[in-house]
Amino acid sequence: MKNQTIAVIGIGYVGLPLACLAADKGYQVLGVDINQKLIDKVNKAQVPFKDDLVKKLLKKTVQSGNLKASNDFKLLKKVETIAVCVPTPVDENYQPDFKPLISAVQRIKENLVKGQLVIIESTINPGVCEEIVLPILEQGGKKVGKDFYLAHAPERINPGDPKWNVSNLPRNVGALSKTGLKKAAQFYRDIIDAPINEMQSIKEAEATKTIENAFRDINIAFINEIAKSFDQLGIDVVDVIKGASSKFSFMAHWPSCGVGGHCIPVDPYYLIRKAETVGFSHDFLKLARQINNHMPKYTVELYQDELNKVGLAVKGTKTAVLGIAYKADIDDTRESPAFEIIEELKKMGADVLTYDPLVLEKSTEKSLKQTLKKAQALLIVTDHSEFKEKLDGQTLKKNNIKVVLDGKNCLDKEDIVKAGVNYKGIGR
Ligand code: SAJ
């Protein structure tokens, strides 16, 4: 790959690991972004967010000169391949927001050079490449498959995952021409040590990511509904899941105070909205989204009930919300259920403290110790290791904590109950 060149547009959670990996494999990599602070950090080899692969590769790839960052889109003219890794969120009506993607593709069009390969990595619904991206790139008369190539390879970053990362995750690739498909598949085979699957068309490639994550969303919704029913039936759902897991075909998912992150709560809407354009209603996917979107409110209701049992009201009780990140041991807060839970508690008049060891800039408290001293009751939103290690029955008792609502079922229920502290989980 010596001297092969690639630009990665969007050097965030998805783009920067890809840029570091390609640079480490010998590509000349240009990271292009609109965030000057991020660009400066990368060029100084300062890791901008928690990611093990970036931590391992950034310094050496920047120092070797194989990776540099810039905000100058004109430099796109100098590369052979352009990977687009910009966010594709949904708006407040859960409609896909393609503005960042369209803006990046327009900048590519302005600098498109004959023979370039454009790869969209951002999560998009089936049809976006042909209906939105291609018309922009072909403005001015260039033809895909002749003057440039267009492919889609949905990203599969799993923030905080110690095992799976961009270097070892299999990838699906689709393109609008055979040459484009071969070129894109070759790029990924150059840098990834895992199978690269060439899809029949770009639409099939677009559809894979949306169903992968919709599949996860419906399974989480399934167990969240079971947990709500078991709360009424007085059955411990965690114990039941562990029992059911001894069945070879059962896939354990865990109930929780909400489904956060930039993938799972977002991607199903791509399928739902796309299908609506052809008159099909994904009733099941929509119901799963409703169930998961309701979990933050349901969690606050459970918390209120538990406080009432010990003669406390939400109003006026010093409540510590522990965890702001959307999942354990990462600093990413996108779509975190913490925000809705905090808002609900404040609406009900609670005196809310917040503490997340990985998101101190958004925490009111600076240590768990300080938080426990001040709080009367706890609502666990994120199953960070620090909480699992330190929140035992005796510690809670010593700090005179009256109620623990464990929104991630991550604490030792028996130990806390034995210490005489009121414990409630989700479905347990
Ligand atoms: N969650 C539950 N119950 C579960 C699993 C997750 O409530 O059983 C919640 C988490 O607490 C979190 C949210 O859902 O708030 C999403 O969790 P996640 O583990 O799915 O983490 P993500 O959002 O980082 O999902 C990524 C996805 N990767 C990509 O989209 C490239 C997803 O496809 C992976 O399946 C997932 O990681 C994974 O398997 O870890």
Side-chain angles (χ1 to χ4, degrees):
M1 284 68 70
K2 286 279 166 267
N3 302 324
Q4 290 198 35
T5 55
I6 177 167
V8 177
I9 301 180
I11 45 175
Y13 291 99
V14 175
L16 191 55
L18 177 71
C20 290
L21 179 65
D24 187 51
K25 295 290 183 183
Y27 274 77
Q28 284 299 317
V29 183
L30 170 71
V32 185
D33 208 291
I34 55 173
N35 179 335
Q36 192 56 49
K37 262 201 257 164
L38 181 56
I39 291 165
D40 295 344
K41 275 193 170 182
V42 167
N43 285 332
K44 288 181 203 143
Q46 291 168 358
V47 179
F49 45 77
K50 204 167 176 301
D51 182 292
D52 293 344
L53 190 78
V54 170
K55 194 169 157 199
K56 189 173 136 214
L57 299 179
L58 182 65
K59 194 173 170 97
K60 74 179 203 176
T61 51
V62 169
Q63 286 179 346
S64 69
N66 276 35
L67 171 60
K68 55 175 161 303
S70 166
N71 65 1
D72 183 1
F73 284 82
K74 288 196 289 304
L75 295 175
L76 293 176
K77 292 184 166 67
K78 299 183 184 305
V79 301
E80 291 148 327
T81 302
I82 302 168
V84 181
C85 302
V86 296
T88 47
V90 286
D91 64 21
E92 60 286 351
N93 303 315
Y94 301 117
Q95 290 289 350
D97 172 5
F98 292 125
K99 284 195 288 300
L101 176 67
I102 289 168
S103 156
V105 173
Q106 277 163 343
R107 306 309 301 271
I108 294 172
K109 183 257 299 179
E110 292 157 12
N111 300 286
L112 200 56
V113 166
K114 188 161 179 60
Q116 274 181 329
L117 166 65
V118 178
I119 304 173
I120 308 297
E121 283 219 349
S122 309
T123 304
I124 49 182
N125 53 20
V128 166
C129 281
E130 288 156 293
E131 296 158 20
I132 296 180
V133 175
L134 183 61
I136 297 171
L137 294 179
E138 289 195 327
Q139 282 166 10
K142 288 196 170 71
K143 283 305 289 165
V144 72
K146 184 167 139 313
D147 301 308
F148 67 92
Y149 304 98
L150 177 58
H152 176 57
E155 58 89 4
R156 280 182 162 170
I157 296 285
N158 179 24
D161 191 320
K163 177 170 177 268
W164 294 106
N165 60 57
V166 63
S167 68
N168 60 11
L169 270 164
R171 299 292 292 267
N172 295 313
V173 187
L176 286 177
S177 67
K178 278 221 175 323
T179 309
L181 181 61
K182 290 297 168 215
K183 280 174 171 285
Q186 187 54 53
F187 165 66
Y188 288 104
R189 288 185 181 118
D190 284 349
I191 65 168
I192 293 174
D193 181 18
I196 305 301
N197 176 31
E198 300 178 20
M199 308 288 292
Q200 293 170 85
S201 81
I202 206 160
K203 256 200 184 76
E204 269 86 21
E206 292 164 327
T208 53
K209 176 70 185 294
T210 43
I211 75 149
E212 280 167 18
N213 287 348
F215 175 78
R216 190 161 173 80
D217 196 47
I218 57 171
N219 279 285
I220 296 169
F222 159 74
I223 206 65
N224 279 334
E225 182 177 272
I226 295 290
K228 290 166 92 168
S229 119
F230 283 12
D231 273 332
Q232 304 304 319
L233 292 167
I235 297 171
D236 183 328
V237 72
V238 171
D239 205 30
V240 172
I241 294 166
K242 286 177 183 161
S245 296
S246 60
K247 172 74 183 295
F248 60 87
S249 57
F250 183 81
M251 279 179 72
H253 288 75
W254 305 93
S256 84
C257 59
V259 174
H262 59 297
C263 303
I264 308 305
V266 172
D267 297 355
Y269 289 113
Y270 282 104
L271 221 39
I272 291 165
R273 297 302 179 224
K274 181 64 189 175
E276 281 168 352
T277 64
V278 293
F280 183 83
S281 172
H282 273 289
D283 299 338
F284 183 34
L285 300 190
K286 283 190 246 182
L287 176 61
R289 286 280 74 240
Q290 277 164 29
I291 291 169
N292 288 339
N293 280 339
H294 182 250
M295 291 314 283
K297 267 200 180 63
Y298 178 70
T299 301
V300 173
E301 286 162 11
L302 286 182
Y303 178 63
Q304 180 178 23
D305 293 347
E306 289 312 303
L307 284 180
N308 294 170
K309 282 180 193 167
V310 296
L312 290 174
V314 173
K315 191 174 169 57
T317 294
K318 257 195 194 315
T319 297
V321 171
L322 294 184
I324 301 173
Y326 80 82
K327 71 176 182 180
D329 301 333
I330 65 168
D331 58 6
D332 189 346
T333 64
R334 288 176 292 177
E335 305 290 319
S336 172
F339 300 117
E340 185 176 345
I341 287 170
I342 291 164
E343 195 187 329
E344 276 302 305
L345 288 169
K346 286 184 174 172
K347 261 194 245 169
M348 295 166 78
D351 181 354
V352 181
L353 310 170
T354 54
Y355 170 68
D356 186 315
L358 292 159
V359 193
L360 288 174
E361 70 282 7
K362 290 188 175 127
S363 302
T364 63
E365 311 309 310
K366 296 307 165 210
S367 75
L368 185 57
K369 198 157 178 265
Q370 171 194 327
T371 310
L372 292 175
K373 272 214 180 77
K374 292 182 177 178
Q376 291 170 281
L378 309 180
L379 201 162
I380 315 291
V381 169
T382 316
D383 43 339
H384 285 317
S385 303
E386 182 184 14
F387 302 155
K388 291 190 278 193
E389 284 150 18
K390 294 187 185 159
L391 295 179
D392 58 75
Q394 284 315 311
T395 305
L396 297 173
K397 183 85 186 149
K398 200 171 67 192
N399 285 280
N400 202 18
I401 299 295
K402 301 281 184 242
V403 167
V404 178
L405 194 293
D406 187 354
K408 287 287 179 191
N409 293 335
C410 63
L411 301 183
D412 184 336
K413 172 182 169 183
E414 284 66 35
D415 175 62
I416 292 170
V417 171
K418 205 164 70 194
V421 178
N422 201 308
Y423 174 96
K424 182 75 186 77
I426 309 285
R428 72 186 302 226

